Every structure is written in C-alpha cells, then in structure tokens.
Amino acid sequence: MYATTIKPKSINHLRESILVNSLGEGTHGTIELYQCKQISNTGVCDRLFVVKRIKYKTDYLGLKIKPKKKEIDRFYKEYEIGMMLHHPNIRRTLDIDVNFETIILEHCDGIDLLDYLNDYDHSDTVKLFSQLIDAVDYLHTNNIVHLDIKLENIIINPKNNIIKLIDLGEAMLVEENQLVYGLKGTEQYMAPEILSLYEFNPKQADLWCCGIILYNLYYNRMPWSFAKLNDIHYKNHSNNIKKGILKEYIFPINTNYDENNEAIIKQLLSMLLNVDPEKRKNSSMIKNYYSLLQ
C-alpha cells in the first residue's frame, strides 16, 4: 500500500513509498521505516528512509487529540537542529512534512549499541568511543547539546563499525556556559546535578553520558542503577572520585589492553564521571586526551 501522508518539501522519494515496518515509539513520537518505490529509467529506487511522526493521544472516544503547542514547537526544534548538522557520526535529517508533523531521517543500517554489546569483544572500544566523542565535540563546538546520549541512541553498522548518534528530541541550542533546568534524558544516564534538580551545564551533562557509554564499552555493564547516593555503587564511585582514587570498583573484566591503555581509560572515566560538573573536562579536552590511545 502506497503512503499518501508523506509529502516532504524537497526530496521526492517518499511521494511514492511503502511502509516497511514500525521501528517503535517513544514518549513524543512514532518511528517507521519507509521504502521509496519511485520508478525511473534505471528502475525502482528502493531507498530506505526513517520517518518520525508526532505521537497523537486519543480521548475516551478514541478520537485523536491535537498535540499541545510545546509538542509542536519541540517537533520543529528537532527538525531545525537536525538540518544544521553534517557529521559522519550523526544521523542526517533530510526533510519535513509540515502538514502531517513528519520528519524524514537518514536510514542507518545496523543495530543499537545496547544490542551490539551482547556479542561485543571489546577490541573496538577505542574506535567506537572515538567516533562518539568526535560527534559530541562537533555538537558542543556548534553550541548544540544532545541531552539523551545512551546506548539505545547510538546505531552501529557491524559491517564497518561506524556509529551514528540518533534522536535529537531532547537536543537544544545553547549559549556558551548557559545553564538549563529540569529532568532531561534517561534516568540511568542522568548526571547527578540533574537528579539533584539544580540548574546544570548541559554540555557537562552530555559528557557524563559519554562516561556511562565508555564504561559500558569497557566493562560491558552499567556502573550503577541510578546516579543517586542511595545506590551503593554510585556512593562508592562518588567517594573514590573525591579521594582521587583511580581504580575500578565494580567487577572488572579481563581485557586485551596493555597497562598504559587501561590507565588512560580509567583516567578518562574519572574525567567524565566526576561528580563535580565543574571538574568534568570539556569535549575537546577529552577528545585530545583520548587520542593517546590511537
């Protein structure tokens, strides 16, 4: 069945397309995979696109409720920020259908990093994290913050180990050293200053998330359930960081890294997961320090 509700402004591919399958839904939108069926002199296109729609709620009669203004604004903000970005490790935003609140996105072949870690041998930690920190540094250099960096929002193509950072639903344009307020992102990845309900530096919060990702790549597990003092693992981490102790305190695994690389990774973890956001290093400093591994 051909889609009749996708009319992007500039790309013609989705004017004749079929719905391949649903990729899931989140709090604010539904994600679907479409395939172009436009016919040309060279045959059928068959190019894949990801389509994100505003999620409509229904009333007690089952009728759709028009999204609130803040949801519409969020939709346009996500599109506008996405169109500003051109980086090999960030999923491209391609177009918009304003009539049906639909954003058209690049299809990234692969699986999310959470699923990938199930069969992960840790030999590519350096390459994978290097791509992530390069993407985050690109965002921050352009005064954009992601605010929901997590394993599920990183797609990896197992054929070439290229990653793509996806989902700009929480992303913001910020001024230099601007502070923001509110619960942003996913709880397991939230920096302690967010959970404390203080104003926080969103760039430093992004880097905390990067620390959680690096921990997962290196140790293949989350460091704690929540970044709260009533979590014993987090309390141990907080106390050790304050004492300047650079060691692993939660079930380290055997790796093939030499002692120098292990020391660098543990130092990076202490930089990224510093409980004091003012002592957390910025993305450029992390990127430069991480280059010692390569």
Side-chain angles (χ1 to χ4, degrees):
M1 180 177 179
Y2 285 97
T4 58
T5 59
I6 304 176
K7 297 179 180 179
K9 292 193 303 181
S10 59
I11 59 175
N12 294 320
H13 292 274
L14 287 172
R15 297 181 189 279
E16 295 183 39
S17 61
I18 58 172
L19 173 64
V20 178
N21 58 42
S22 172
L23 300 178
E25 63 179 63
T27 305
H28 304 286
T30 60
I31 309 293
E32 297 168 329
L33 183 65
Y34 276 81
Q35 187 171 37
C36 174
K37 288 299 176 183
Q38 182 173 311
I39 300 174
S40 67
N41 293 335
T42 58
V44 179
C45 175
D46 283 336
R47 183 178 172 187
L48 294 170
F49 296 86
V50 172
V51 172
K52 183 173 184 177
R53 303 178 189 273
I54 287 183
K55 187 176 181 180
Y56 278 77
K57 297 179 180 179
T58 56
D59 61 18
Y60 69 98
L61 294 175
L63 301 175
K64 288 185 177 180
I65 301 173
K66 184 177 179 180
K68 295 180 181 179
K69 182 180 183 299
K70 66 178 182 179
E71 293 296 328
I72 300 293
D73 291 344
R74 178 191 179 95
F75 166 78
Y76 281 106
K77 178 198 70 174
E78 181 175 354
Y79 166 72
E80 289 166 0
I81 290 176
M83 291 299 290
M84 295 169 59
L85 304 176
H86 303 280
H87 189 278
N89 300 119
I90 300 174
R91 179 164 68 183
R92 291 175 58 211
T93 298
L94 301 174
D95 212 330
I96 189 171
D97 178 352
V98 295
N99 294 319
F100 294 94
E101 294 95 15
T102 296
I103 299 173
I104 295 92
L105 304 160
E106 172 191 14
H107 168 63
C108 302
D109 191 22
I111 58 176
D112 69 48
L113 211 52
L114 181 63
D115 289 335
Y116 179 75
L117 286 180
N118 291 331
D119 299 312
Y120 183 56
D121 64 5
H122 302 272
S123 61
D124 293 311
T125 294
V126 173
K127 181 179 180 181
L128 297 185
F129 190 75
S130 175
Q131 293 176 71
L132 173 62
I133 202 64
D134 194 57
V136 172
D137 185 54
Y138 171 80
L139 290 175
H140 290 186
T141 300
N142 287 282
N143 287 323
I144 295 170
V145 290
H146 188 281
L147 287 175
D148 197 17
I149 299 171
K150 57 184 177 180
L151 293 169
E152 298 93 320
N153 281 342
I154 301 171
I155 300 296
I156 179 169
N157 185 336
K159 296 177 182 178
N160 55 22
N161 280 359
I162 299 298
I163 69 165
K164 297 274 188 175
L165 183 60
I166 67 169
D167 195 349
L168 299 170
E170 296 279 2
M172 296 174 59
L173 271 167
V174 293
E175 297 179 4
E176 195 68 31
N177 299 319
Q178 177 183 338
L179 300 180
V180 301
Y181 177 82
L183 291 174
K184 305 288 186 182
T186 301
E187 191 168 7
Q188 277 186 298
Y189 294 82
M190 287 182 187
E193 62 269 23
I194 298 179
L195 291 165
S196 299
L197 299 179
Y198 298 137
E199 284 190 324
F200 64 92
N201 183 319
K203 291 183 179 181
Q204 298 306 94
D206 269 356
L207 291 168
W208 176 275
C209 295
C210 290
I212 300 291
I213 299 296
L214 179 58
Y215 190 102
N216 273 275
L217 289 173
Y218 193 59
Y219 294 107
N220 204 17
R221 59 165 290 154
M222 295 293 288
W224 42 71
S225 297
F226 303 103
K228 295 181 178 179
L229 279 177
N230 59 3
D231 183 298
I232 186 63
H233 298 309
Y234 176 73
K235 186 182 293 186
N236 288 341
H237 166 79
S238 178
N239 291 336
N240 284 328
I241 287 293
K242 289 175 182 176
K243 294 175 183 177
I245 299 173
L246 304 179
K247 70 174 186 178
E248 173 49 28
Y249 15 80
I250 308 173
F251 310 118
I253 63 169
N254 294 321
T255 67
N256 295 321
Y257 300 118
D258 60 33
E259 290 184 2
N260 181 60
N261 280 354
E262 287 196 356
I264 291 173
I265 289 177
K266 289 179 181 179
Q267 182 69 47
L268 280 162
L269 287 169
S270 73
M271 293 176 177
L272 292 164
L273 297 177
N274 196 310
V275 294
D276 183 348
E278 293 186 3
K279 294 180 180 178
R280 231 169 277 154
K281 305 302 182 184
N282 64 39
S283 58
S284 296
M285 294 174 71
I286 295 294
K287 182 178 175 180
N288 291 336
Y289 187 78
Y290 197 77
S291 66
L292 296 174
L293 286 168
Q294 301 174 58

